[in-house]
Amino acid sequence: MIIEKSQKLLFTTFSLLIFYNLLFSQKLEPKERIGHEPDHIISSEITKKEYLIHLSFPKNYSNRDTITYPVLYVLDGKSTHRYFNSSYIDFEKTENVILVGISHKVNGMESRINRFNDYTAYRDTISDRKFEKKFGLEKGTIKTGGADNFLECIKKEIVPFIDKHYKTNSDRGISGHSLGGLFTAYCFLSSDNYFTRFGINSPSFQLNEEIFLEPAIIKFTNNQKWDIKPTKVFISTGEDESPEMVSNMVKFSLHLKKRNYENIDMNWRIYRNETHASVIPSSLNGTLITIYGKE
């Protein structure tokens, strides 16, 4: 009887090993990147836009084992992916995580226009006209308020593509800077537990101050409980960014920290002597260490 049980256990174990080997052998191997070339280009049926995907993998990532990894989706990956495997990131202090940079395929002004649309949660015609005037664009060129569609694109097109081709698990985070930070804050405020780790860096709260920031603060003030899964949040800005950006980030962070939600582990930081552009690698490193830090 004991021998029979042992044989069944061995058969089950062997079958599982075969299954996992077949499963992971169908996954893609990491590419050797040439310059700034993306790993993939995804055409979205939802947003009608094309997105570049830049990937970074843990050092020991291999299809020859059964290990799966959490994933951090980083917005504006075209400009940030050069920091993914650089000396700016202290990987000795973080868990193994796959980094997935997402950015628009178009460049220059077209990219700006797409960012204003994808990364903003509400239509803000005042901001639309303001930035059209600033960039010398025709009226109606900039249309804010496409965040719902972009988030649907991430959930239904980009994440399933990454999950299909790489060794991921359901532990997902999202991080962004500037307008990307605003979008990440929107994902956090409307959390359905799809993402449980958030890097909200240099968020452009000034765009939607009355229709996003102020309601967020009211939510933190009035709601004593927030029924979401255990969640980690990192919020940051550079000391030398615009006074409005710094003060809004501090206002958001202090109200969230003060509420002290039981299931939200939140930290925030102002980086000394850093501008809106120079703070990017520091805030990415801070995001990784804070929300993926080794225990």
Side-chain angles (χ1 to χ4, degrees):
M1 192 72 171
I2 295 174
I3 293 173
E4 187 178 330
K5 284 184 178 180
S6 297
Q7 287 175 335
K8 285 183 178 179
L9 180 61
L10 282 170
F11 177 77
T12 302
T13 304
F14 185 67
S15 298
L16 284 171
L17 284 172
I18 292 174
F19 170 75
Y20 281 120
N21 283 333
L22 285 171
L23 176 66
F24 291 128
S25 66
Q26 295 170 4
K27 301 290 186 180
L28 297 178
E29 292 285 353
K31 294 179 182 178
E32 279 197 33
R33 181 176 291 112
I34 301 172
H36 299 293
E37 288 297 309
D39 293 270
H40 303 284
I41 299 175
I42 294 178
S43 297
S44 172
E45 292 295 322
I46 297 169
T47 67
K48 309 304 179 186
K49 301 182 180 82
E50 290 187 299
Y51 298 95
L52 305 182
I53 304 298
H54 290 84
L55 296 164
S56 172
F57 299 88
K59 185 166 51 178
N60 295 321
Y61 182 96
S62 171
N63 286 342
R64 291 187 294 275
D65 59 44
T66 59
I67 300 170
T68 61
Y69 298 90
V71 184
L72 178 65
Y73 291 88
V74 183
L75 303 180
D76 297 312
K78 186 162 51 181
S79 59
T80 56
H81 79 271
R82 64 182 182 273
Y83 303 123
F84 285 1
N85 298 302
S86 70
S87 59
Y88 289 101
I89 309 301
D90 191 351
F91 287 106
E92 295 298 318
K93 295 182 179 178
T94 68
E95 301 173 12
N96 288 326
V97 57
I98 298 172
L99 301 180
V100 178
I102 306 171
S103 54
H104 297 97
K105 184 182 177 183
V106 293
N107 295 308
M109 189 56 65
E110 284 187 87
S111 178
R112 284 184 173 180
I113 292 168
N114 283 350
R115 291 177 77 251
F116 274 109
N117 181 248
D118 280 353
Y119 293 173
T120 53
Y122 304 98
R123 187 69 193 272
D124 181 357
T125 54
I126 294 174
S127 292
D128 292 349
R129 303 294 87 80
K130 173 185 172 183
F131 285 100
E132 285 165 355
K133 185 177 180 180
K134 178 179 178 180
F135 299 136
L137 300 172
E138 290 184 9
K139 185 177 179 180
T141 304
I142 292 178
K143 294 180 181 179
T144 49
D148 283 345
N149 280 343
F150 181 51
L151 183 55
E152 187 180 1
C153 162
I154 292 174
K155 290 180 176 181
K156 293 184 177 180
E157 296 174 324
I158 295 176
V159 171
F161 177 89
I162 298 300
D163 286 347
K164 177 181 178 181
H165 293 294
Y166 298 100
K167 297 170 56 186
T168 64
N169 56 44
S170 60
D171 184 343
R172 303 185 194 94
I174 187 165
S175 178
H177 169 264
S178 194
L179 283 170
L182 177 64
F183 178 81
T184 305
Y186 158 72
C187 293
F188 170 58
L189 264 293
S190 57
S191 176
D192 59 358
N193 299 311
Y194 191 82
F195 298 105
T196 55
R197 307 185 195 231
F198 300 88
I200 303 171
N201 300 305
S202 304
S204 298
F205 288 139
Q206 71 278 8
L207 261 70
N208 290 159
E209 190 168 348
E210 293 182 2
I211 53 180
F212 182 83
L213 179 60
E214 291 177 10
I217 290 172
I218 291 171
K219 176 176 181 173
F220 299 151
T221 304
N222 295 340
N223 295 348
Q224 294 184 359
K225 291 185 178 181
W226 191 351
D227 187 21
I228 57 175
K229 290 180 180 178
T231 296
K232 291 188 176 184
V233 185
F234 177 68
I235 310 171
S236 76
T237 190
E239 180 186 40
D240 295 336
E241 300 199 48
S242 72
E244 186 179 21
M245 181 167 282
V246 176
S247 65
N248 280 341
M249 171 270 187
V250 170
K251 192 186 302 182
F252 182 90
S253 301
L254 287 177
H255 279 84
L256 176 57
K257 192 75 173 177
K258 183 179 179 181
R259 174 48 64 196
N260 193 29
Y261 290 110
E262 182 179 357
N263 47 356
I264 296 177
D265 181 2
M266 176 267 182
N267 289 277
W268 63 286
R269 179 171 178 177
I270 298 175
Y271 287 96
R272 296 289 304 276
N273 304 316
E274 297 287 4
T275 65
H276 190 63
S278 70
V279 76
I280 295 173
S282 297
S283 61
L284 179 60
N285 185 53
T287 294
L288 284 164
I289 290 175
T290 303
I291 66 177
Y292 292 99
K294 291 179 179 177
E295 297 294 334

